[in-house]
Amino acid sequence: MSELIEIRKVYKRYGRKSVLRGVNLSVGAGEVVVLLGANGAGKTTLLRTVSGLSKPDRGEIQLGGASFSTAGYELRRYIGLVSHTSLLYDNLSAPENLNFFARLYDMQAPAERIEWTLQAVDLWRRRRDLVRTYSRGMVQRLAIARAILHNPPVLLLDEPDTGLDQESAEMLHQLIRKLGADERAILLTTHNLERALAWADRVCLLVDGRIVFSEKTANLTGDELRRQYREAGRPA
Amino acid sequence: MNNRVQEMNEDLVMPGEVAAAPETVRNAGPAAPSPSVQMRTNGGLGAYMRKVRAITRKELQAEWRAKEVFSTMTIFGILAVLVFGMAFDLRVPKSDMVAPGVLWVVLLFAGVLGLNRSFGAEVDRGSLPALLLAPMDRSAIYFGKMIANLIFMLAMLALVLPTILIIFDVNMIKTWILVALLLGVLGYVAVGTLFAAMTASVRARESMLPILLLPLMVPIFVAGVALTAAVVDGRTLGDFWRWLGVLSAYDLIFVTIAFIVFDMIWQES
């Protein structure tokens, strides 16, 4: 499996607080990796750093063998990000939002792709409504649609299941499996251990900016994962 | 060049050409096969301008729905003219002595209200990272927003100028005043959009922006008032050129500076 995301000894500090302390992680093409960790463990910072929104103080991040310092802004084309905020415009409809981002990504004749993406997240029927009229779950689904619109090989999803009801979460699960099967590297975070086991090929536990546990989900039971999570959270 | 993204780039990166998305990232989706994604890459100036246009269009579209920036600036501008009108009516014998100053003061203060929302709204709703993640030189964000701000301010002036005509009985809808306003507003939004980006994440941005911006507006204000007064007073064309030169030079310098430094604003350490 070729590695699409390579994180090598990445350190990041905000003021006096070390948020990432020598993180090493790789995600291969077709692999779904879930990052678990308590609030403040560094999950969001790690995803921001991989996306290029934040620079590591030390260490190296490569996407498909290229780094931002060598590939420049063209590398952003290969990243889809779902963040804590929706990254959408409330006063535009879903197709208007996606059409705007399609233009920023230089997509040609994006109408067909926009329709397909909205169908994929079950929002096509609400396409004429402004985003400000959407529920929290619908906004989250549209945020996912925005992230996959330009077909990025690297998907970074920061708690994408937040605000989703059971049905939408299952739809997201199916979407993630399908996207992962299409040779994408997917790195996502969640607080839901059951979903982590169901969605991922591998789970990593991030504690105080370090990955302290990494295992394939095929070798893990729910009880084992919960035990690891509890033990990792205990003070040494 | 034996890595994955570079292999993709070998297919993609030809200036101005249209390239298909990498084979491995096509056809993702839950049910129906996905339409393939066709992307232009490295399209040079044409691609850059398309992105600038997309950002300007999005700003105008969102404003058309929200009516937040334009209406705030315009209502403030008209009210300010009315207040100045009442204040000066008591003491000033000839209103054409103060009308040029009123016009430029109203322009500066009403403009701050709009500029504050330019990036502030992106920060408030959390949509700024989406712009920063787009594969483009970030100066395209600056120019897209700057052009939108220019349009909002010119639209505001289209209502403020007739109000001044009514309240002060001074007609400032004249070619050279309009040229001065265009150059002045261009310089104002060039610096204002840059400073709005710099202060967008600051907690007290509403007060921080005018504190930083207004001192830098002195050359525009002085040149704008002098030029407008020269036209109102009916002076000869020769008097205009010096001030037009000041405004043009200011615009050129600050648009260039903004283009160079804008990307650095977003370089997180």
Side-chain angles (χ1 to χ4, degrees), chain A residues 63 74-80 105 150-155, chain B residues 5 8-9 12-13 22 25 39 41:
Chain A
L63 304 178
E74 279 296 327
L75 195 58
R76 296 185 207 137
R77 198 180 294 282
Y78 298 101
I79 300 166
Y105 282 82
H150 58 289
N151 247 345
V154 171
L155 263 179
Chain B
V5 170
M8 294 168 182
N9 276 330
L12 295 171
V13 182
V25 298
M39 285 191 275
T41 59

Side-chain angles (χ1 to χ4, degrees), chain A residues 4 12 113 116 178 182 184, chain B residues 4 12 24 28-29 34 269:
Chain A
L4 268 183
K12 180 73 186 174
R113 174 72 185 175
W116 177 87
K178 176 74 174 117
D182 281 322
R184 262 169 253 266
Chain B
R4 187 179 182 79
L12 295 171
T24 50
S34 152
S269 58

Side-chain angles (χ1 to χ4, degrees), chain A residues 188-221:
Chain A
L188 68 97
T189 70
T190 181
H191 286 290
N192 189 314
L193 302 190
E194 282 72 30
R195 280 182 192 154
L197 270 181
W199 291 6
D201 299 308
R202 186 153 53 98
V203 291
C204 296
L205 197 47
L206 193 67
V207 178
D208 291 334
R210 289 193 186 94
I211 290 182
V212 297
F213 175 78
S214 176
E215 185 60 74
K216 290 189 171 173
T217 50
N219 304 329
L220 271 177
T221 63

Side-chain angles (χ1 to χ4, degrees), chain B residues 76-159:
Chain B
F76 175 87
I78 290 172
L79 283 176
V81 171
L82 292 173
V83 170
F84 277 125
M86 286 186 279
F88 292 134
D89 194 36
L90 299 173
R91 296 287 301 166
V92 179
K94 282 182 70 186
S95 54
D96 55 6
M97 290 170 69
V98 292
V102 168
L103 171 66
W104 286 87
V105 167
V106 167
L107 187 153
L108 291 191
F109 285 101
V112 169
L113 298 177
L115 290 169
N116 251 324
R117 296 303 298 160
S118 186
F119 282 92
E122 300 275 1
V123 170
D124 291 347
R125 76 168 81 86
S127 52
L128 190 59
L131 294 178
L132 301 180
L133 277 170
M136 60 187 181
D137 191 293
R138 285 170 179 163
S139 61
I141 303 171
Y142 167 78
F143 282 114
K145 294 236 175 217
M146 192 197 83
I147 293 167
N149 287 332
L150 182 68
I151 292 169
F152 294 147
M153 288 203 63
L154 292 177
M156 182 263 292
L157 283 172
L159 294 175

